[in-house]
Amino acid sequence: MKTFNYIVLATLIATLAACQQNESLEAKKEVLNTKKKELMALKEDITKLEREISSLDPEFGKQNRKATLITTLPVSQSKFEHYVELSGSVKSLKNVTVSAENAGNINSISVKEGSEVNKGQLLLSMDTELYQRSLEQLETEYALAKTMFEKQENLWKQNIGTEVQYLQAKNRKEGLENQLANIKTQISKSQVRAPFAGTIEEVLVKEGEMATMGKPLVRLVNHQGMYVKADLSEAYIGKFKKGDKLIISFPSVGQDIESIISSVGQVIDENNRTFSIEASLPETTFKIKPNLIAVLKIKDFEVTDAVVVPSKLIQKDNTGEFVFIATGDSTESVAKKIQVSRGVTYKNRTMITEGLQGNELLVNEGFRDVTDGSKVKVVNNVM
């Protein structure tokens, strides 16, 4: 009991220590963000004071002419697109395991993994000895029943005998015909054949094993009729429909193809709050296999003439988000702080909805070292 109490106490202490560590980490992150904002404000105050002092004391201005080295990036209006990216995988309408319809010992296997087969081709055979014995017995009984029926039929045509005798002979013959048909069907099912043309992906049994009804025997795959399936968040209900264009990327093979949405699921999975979406796969020049990882890219936003900037250049302080631009001429340039409003972000690029006109020069490299109004020297314009 004491040992158990010690274990419980140690667990509680460890849990409390972990909670305190997490709280300490979050507190430190908050302090760091606050200090960064204070540093930015302090830099701006220093730059403002330096300008004011320089205007009153030219000698002081000469001593503070050192400019911050930067590179610039021109702002321009261009087409901006945003895509929803979904992880999915390749599926096949013809990727099946062929199972046994009868029980029996496997006598022979006619294919191996990688074999190309045609529809109806023999895959493997099972022992039919018991069925063959039953067939021979039934054939003997049927021969007698058929003869008896023919004789009874001739007598009935001559009005000899009773109708009951005729009907009994007929019923006996037809019953044996049905039994013969059934036993022949069972024998044919002991020979497993390909339901469609394709490739043997896997042989799941060996010769001599006992096959039971429903037991998987081989996996057969046809690479035609494949498609990509992915799950889409319920937040996108109604935004995409059958026939919409998309891009399918295959990271493993480094290939992209264009396709369309072939199916949109109508039921939401209550576990992950998603619905399925499928895209057809056209003919490709590269190899695609079932279960291959795929990424679906579906466009959900587009602006023809948008002001777009690298996301990393957008900074934030107590007044909101901003960027720095370089103003002035070749002899003297200064950094200017511009408040902006951001729109959609995709692939590290952000659309600016307010603040920029599209003809400015963004401060690129060195953007964290400048303040509003500080002198800058452009050493390399990035075009």
Side-chain angles (χ1 to χ4, degrees):
M1 180 63 71
K2 288 183 178 180
T3 303
F4 177 76
N5 291 335
Y6 289 147
I7 293 174
V8 172
L9 181 60
T11 304
L12 289 174
I13 292 174
T15 304
L16 289 173
C19 292
Q20 290 176 353
Q21 185 176 2
N22 290 336
E23 292 176 359
S24 176
L25 178 60
E26 293 301 321
K28 288 180 178 179
K29 288 182 178 180
E30 186 65 29
V31 171
L32 177 60
N33 291 331
T34 302
K35 295 295 184 183
K36 284 183 177 180
K37 292 178 181 179
E38 291 175 354
L39 178 61
M40 179 63 69
L42 185 59
K43 283 184 176 181
E44 292 182 358
D45 289 342
I46 292 173
T47 302
K48 184 179 179 181
L49 285 171
E50 287 178 343
R51 284 203 310 269
E52 292 176 355
I53 295 173
S54 296
S55 63
L56 300 173
D57 185 353
E59 190 63 29
F60 178 85
K62 292 179 182 179
Q63 297 173 359
N64 287 274
R65 285 177 181 174
K66 185 178 180 180
T68 303
L69 299 180
I70 64 166
T71 63
T72 58
L73 187 68
V75 178
S76 61
Q77 293 183 327
S78 61
K79 185 178 181 180
F80 180 77
E81 299 172 326
H82 182 273
Y83 289 84
V84 176
E85 296 189 5
L86 312 171
S87 293
S89 61
V90 176
K91 304 293 182 181
S92 175
L93 295 173
K94 294 183 176 181
N95 177 14
V96 301
T97 53
V98 182
S99 301
E101 295 186 69
N102 277 341
N105 189 61
I106 298 174
N107 281 344
S108 64
I109 299 176
S110 305
V111 294
K112 58 183 180 180
E113 293 178 1
S115 299
E116 298 288 338
V117 297
N118 297 317
K119 182 178 180 179
Q121 182 175 330
L122 180 65
L123 303 180
L124 55 84
S125 299
M126 291 184 289
D127 181 30
T128 60
E129 183 178 355
L130 292 177
Y131 292 122
Q132 291 292 347
R133 289 179 182 178
S134 298
L135 179 62
E136 291 173 2
Q137 182 179 350
L138 285 172
E139 285 177 339
T140 302
E141 294 179 7
Y142 175 70
L144 176 60
K146 183 179 180 183
T147 300
M148 294 299 294
F149 169 73
E150 290 174 350
K151 290 183 178 182
Q152 193 67 43
E153 186 179 34
N154 289 332
L155 291 173
W156 176 249
K157 289 180 180 179
Q158 299 174 29
N159 294 321
I160 301 174
T162 65
E163 184 179 6
V164 172
Q165 291 175 317
Y166 167 74
L167 292 176
Q168 287 177 336
K170 181 181 179 182
N171 182 66
R172 173 66 175 166
K173 180 185 77 76
E174 291 177 348
L176 288 171
E177 285 176 345
N178 290 333
Q179 291 183 48
L180 281 171
N182 289 336
I183 200 71
K184 288 178 179 179
T185 300
Q186 295 299 322
I187 291 173
S188 68
K189 288 183 177 180
S190 297
Q191 291 186 327
V192 181
R193 300 182 179 275
F196 51 82
T199 304
I200 301 298
E201 185 72 16
E202 189 177 6
V203 178
L204 302 169
V205 292
K206 298 178 181 178
E207 290 186 9
E209 287 186 4
M210 178 62 70
T212 57
M213 190 176 298
K215 179 179 181 178
L217 304 175
V218 297
R219 177 174 290 279
L220 179 62
V221 178
N222 187 314
H223 289 183
Q224 294 182 346
M226 291 193 293
Y227 62 98
V228 174
K229 184 175 182 180
D231 292 330
L232 186 61
S233 169
E234 64 180 356
Y236 294 98
I237 290 178
K239 292 189 177 181
F240 305 112
K241 62 183 183 300
K242 182 178 179 180
D244 286 351
K245 294 181 179 180
L246 51 74
I247 299 172
I248 305 175
S249 297
F250 300 96
S252 299
V253 296
Q255 298 285 347
D256 294 348
I257 59 174
E258 293 183 354
S259 183
I260 60 172
I261 296 175
S262 58
S263 174
V264 177
Q266 301 300 310
V267 178
I268 294 176
D269 189 321
E270 61 182 7
N271 294 320
N272 56 18
R273 312 308 305 172
T274 63
F275 59 94
S276 63
I277 188 169
E278 297 177 4
S280 56
L281 275 178
E283 292 289 334
T284 61
T285 57
F286 53 93
K287 193 73 172 179
I288 295 178
K289 294 186 177 182
N291 299 323
L292 182 68
I293 295 296
V295 177
L296 273 62
K297 300 178 181 179
I298 317 173
K299 187 191 300 182
D300 67 335
F301 182 81
E302 178 181 347
V303 176
T304 304
D305 296 318
V307 177
V308 183
V309 303
S311 301
K312 68 176 184 179
L313 300 183
I314 303 175
Q315 302 184 69
K316 188 175 183 179
D317 61 11
N318 295 329
T319 61
E321 294 180 314
F322 64 92
V323 295
F324 282 112
I325 65 171
T327 62
D329 51 35
S330 58
T331 59
E332 183 175 339
S333 297
V334 295
K336 184 179 180 181
K337 181 179 179 181
I338 302 294
Q339 299 291 144
V340 296
S341 297
R342 71 162 70 206
V344 180
T345 296
Y346 182 69
K347 293 293 186 182
N348 299 319
R349 299 171 69 239
T350 299
M351 185 180 74
I352 300 300
T353 57
E354 293 181 8
L356 296 177
Q357 301 300 317
N359 54 2
E360 297 89 350
L361 281 177
L362 285 174
V363 176
N364 186 21
E365 295 181 19
F367 73 99
R368 293 193 182 278
D369 300 324
V370 300
T371 57
D372 188 25
S374 63
K375 293 181 181 180
V376 294
K377 182 178 180 181
V378 180
V379 294
N380 180 30
N381 285 325
V382 180
M383 300 304 292

